[in-house]
Amino acid sequence: MGFDLYSLKRAQEAPESYEPPYYFRANVWSWRPILAATKYATTIYDQVPEMTDAEYESMSYNDFYEVSDERGLEFSLAITHMLQSPEFSAELNGEPVTGVMLDGENLFMHYGDWDDIESSGISYSAGLQHLVSFASFCTRSGGFNVG
C-alpha cells in the first residue's frame, strides 16, 4: 500500500516508465510526513502560496488528484527553502536532522541514527533523502497526479 505519483508528462514521453522524473513512490507510512512537511514548508516560505486544507486533504487520498506544474514547482521551492532554514540545518546534541516524523497533527524532525526511529513509538516517518527526492520530483515532473 502506498502513494504512486505520476508525472503529467509520463503519458506522452515515457508511458511505461516507473523512474524519476516520471514516477515517485511513498508508502502509506512515509507519505503522510512528506505531505505534512510540504504543507509546513509552504507556511514558512512566503514566496509561495500556503498549501490549502483542501489541497492537503485531496493529496491524502489515492484519487489521482492533479497538481499543476506551477504548484509542483512551488512545493519544491518551499521544501528546498525549509531544508536550508536554520531550523533544519541545526543539530541536536551534535546529530544532524535525518528525517521527519508525524505524530497525529504534529510534525517532528528526527536527529541522528535512523534505526532509532522504531523505538520512538511514532508510526509515520520519512527519511530526509525521501523528502529531497519528492522535491526533485516536483521540480522535474511537469505536474503530477497523486494515485
Side-chain angles (χ1 to χ4, degrees):
M1 290 189 333
F3 286 81
D4 299 294
L5 283 59
Y6 299 95
S7 164
L8 297 180
K9 298 188 295 187
R10 182 176 180 255
Q12 296 85 17
E13 295 180 11
E16 301 299 318
S17 178
Y18 288 94
E19 299 294 326
Y22 303 108
Y23 180 76
F24 176 84
R25 173 146 176 85
N27 65 34
V28 295
W29 308 110
S30 63
W31 178 244
R32 290 175 190 244
I34 289 171
L35 185 58
T38 303
K39 182 171 180 153
Y40 174 72
T42 65
T43 66
I44 64 169
Y45 186 52
D46 62 4
Q47 301 300 306
V48 302
E50 287 186 27
M51 180 186 283
T52 66
D53 291 339
E55 284 176 307
Y56 186 84
E57 182 76 16
S58 295
M59 292 176 70
S60 296
Y61 296 100
N62 301 84
D63 294 343
F64 291 92
Y65 177 76
E66 186 173 302
V67 175
S68 71
D69 183 29
E70 179 181 359
R71 192 61 170 143
L73 290 171
E74 291 170 347
F75 289 160
S76 180
L77 286 171
I79 292 167
T80 301
H81 173 78
M82 177 184 71
L83 294 176
Q84 294 172 350
S85 72
E87 183 179 20
F88 262 78
S89 60
E91 294 185 349
L92 181 66
N93 298 326
E95 297 288 345
V97 174
T98 54
V100 290
M101 303 179 301
L102 188 65
D103 186 16
E105 300 282 321
N106 301 310
L107 183 70
F108 298 96
M109 290 172 283
H110 182 271
Y111 296 87
D113 190 355
W114 193 248
D115 292 334
D116 294 341
I117 197 85
E118 292 179 11
S119 64
S120 71
I122 296 176
S123 299
Y124 298 104
S125 59
L128 202 54
Q129 187 54 49
H130 206 177
L131 185 59
V132 169
S133 294
F134 174 64
S136 176
F137 172 79
C138 287
T139 298
R140 303 181 322 151
S141 68
F144 57 91
N145 291 312
V146 180

